[in-house]
Amino acid sequence: MAAVVGCLKRLNAALFNPPTVPKAPETGSPLRIGILGAAQIVPFAIIDPAKSHPDVEVYAIAARDIAKAEKFAKKHGINKWFGGQNGYQELLDDPAIDVVYNPLPNGLHYEWTIKALTAGKHVLLEKPSGDTAEETRRMFELADRKNLVLLEAFHYRFHPAIQRVKEIIDSGELGSIKEIHVSLCYPKGIITDGDIRLNYGIGGGALMDAGCYTLNCLRYLASNDPTAVVSAKTLRYPKDPRIDTATSADLLFPSSTPGGEPMKASIKCDMMVPDLFGFIPRLDGAVVHVTCEKGVVHMFNFPLPVIYHYITVIPHGGKKRTEKAYLFPPGSLAKGEEWWSTYRYQLEAFVDKVRGRVPQTWVSGEDSIQNMFWIEKIYEKIGLGSRPQASFQLPVDG
């Protein structure tokens, strides 16, 4: 019963009634965030986390339709909105804005991140960072030149749960890694016709959406990049065969021990998993499974652990145990509350970085570039090719 009550309290604070704290920044004024687009993810990813952070204010929203921008702003207590053909640029031109959150469709990430950086704004960029590794490289190079913070929002990386899995692996308790499998699959019905994730022209596809998480998680736990895509297969969207609705791939990584056999790895992503028995949605598609020389570690729900997760450790010849990690260990200097979502932990790190402090953890530009590089390699292997590169050109004086 206590576990159920704890779960309900977490969900209430994380998803429905996030605590609101007074804005009391050390610098005298909070970081003001401008949001590009009224996407469905925006409240959960930035508006709600910002309520409990004393040093950020969601200041403005822009949408193509100004009526939509106004409605969204009033619903979420945002005091300023922009809209129409020049709405996005007008937001970027506002000198009061310090940070831009970019949750636009994948195919627009490059253009509007470049424009935001050119305008002198720090950027929190939804994943995947771009449609190609080259786009990603250009964005991070521009951020470096302008001394601005750019972060690809792999929010799960900032939560104690996945960090605990990595800690178990890196401790050597289970010996060196032999195989890793990561999957992220959605029940059928979440992605329907007309969804932007089924639009090739703006960077759609399962590998771009769910798959970018699985590949990133694989690389994170392996502490390395692949050496080869051994095989890959896909299911294509009947209305546009350039789009994958499900993709799986087998990869090789360098051995985790000198002179050892290459480490095997696999990913699976699916945006349309059929219901169990034809009517029960499957909710078991977000898992990490790591086989080591001396045992196994398994995690359920690595992307959204605040809702519910568990980490199972099974040593060979030892006692099986189950852990949960909603907080960093006692004595840790890292901030956090049990109800903090992955997005709230991410916001804490992002603000620390912008303010010149050392964040608890970080996703580097090189990490983001490599993730897109290997997404492109998998698409190449299955014969679909990279998503269309943006036609927007980096300004000459950028």
Side-chain angles (χ1 to χ4, degrees), residues 345-357:
Y345 276 107
Q346 175 180 259
L347 183 62
E348 191 72 27
F350 185 82
V351 172
D352 281 345
K353 191 77 166 180
V354 171
R355 290 302 197 193
R357 299 186 290 266

Side-chain angles (χ1 to χ4, degrees), residues 285-324:
V287 299
V288 170
H289 191 84
V290 184
T291 302
C292 301
E293 288 181 321
K294 301 177 184 178
V296 169
V297 57
H298 178 94
M299 180 181 177
F300 171 74
N301 199 14
F302 75 95
L304 295 172
V306 69
I307 297 174
Y308 176 75
H309 73 272
Y310 59 81
I311 302 164
T312 303
V313 182
I314 310 174
H316 294 333
K319 185 178 180 180
K320 174 181 174 180
R321 71 178 190 272
T322 298
E323 301 183 15
K324 295 183 176 67

Side-chain angles (χ1 to χ4, degrees), residues 178-193:
K178 295 174 66 177
E179 295 186 24
I180 303 180
H181 171 73
V182 184
S183 66
L184 179 55
C185 304
Y186 307 151
K188 185 178 180 180
I190 292 179
I191 311 299
T192 57
D193 289 346

Side-chain angles (χ1 to χ4, degrees), residues 156-157 159-175 177 180 216-224 288 290 292 297-299 302 311 313 323 325 361-362 367:
Y156 81 97
R157 290 268 294 267
H159 196 276
I162 196 65
Q163 292 190 36
R164 175 56 185 153
V165 174
K166 185 167 175 57
E167 182 181 51
I168 292 168
I169 293 169
D170 292 348
S171 73
E173 171 191 353
L174 301 175
I177 303 170
I180 303 180
N216 183 271
C217 187
L218 194 66
R219 296 174 47 255
Y220 171 63
L221 296 178
S223 300
N224 218 328
V288 170
V290 184
C292 301
V297 57
H298 178 94
M299 180 181 177
F302 75 95
I311 302 164
V313 182
E323 301 183 15
T361 195
W362 196 247
D367 192 336

Side-chain angles (χ1 to χ4, degrees), residues 240-259:
D240 188 345
R242 299 172 298 176
I243 288 288
D244 57 312
T245 61
T247 289
S248 58
D250 296 317
L251 305 100
L252 288 181
F253 280 73
S255 172
S256 56
T257 56

Side-chain angles (χ1 to χ4, degrees), residues 128 130-131 152 154 207-209 211-213 215-216 369-381 385-387:
D131 278 355
E152 184 181 14
F154 278 112
L207 186 59
M208 293 289 284
D209 188 68
C212 74
Y213 280 96
L215 187 57
N216 183 271
I369 294 166
Q370 286 299 308
N371 213 60
M372 277 309 311
F373 175 84
W374 286 100
I375 286 174
E376 289 189 273
K377 285 292 185 183
I378 294 171
Y379 270 135
E380 179 183 316
K381 191 73 173 181
S386 304
R387 309 295 87 176

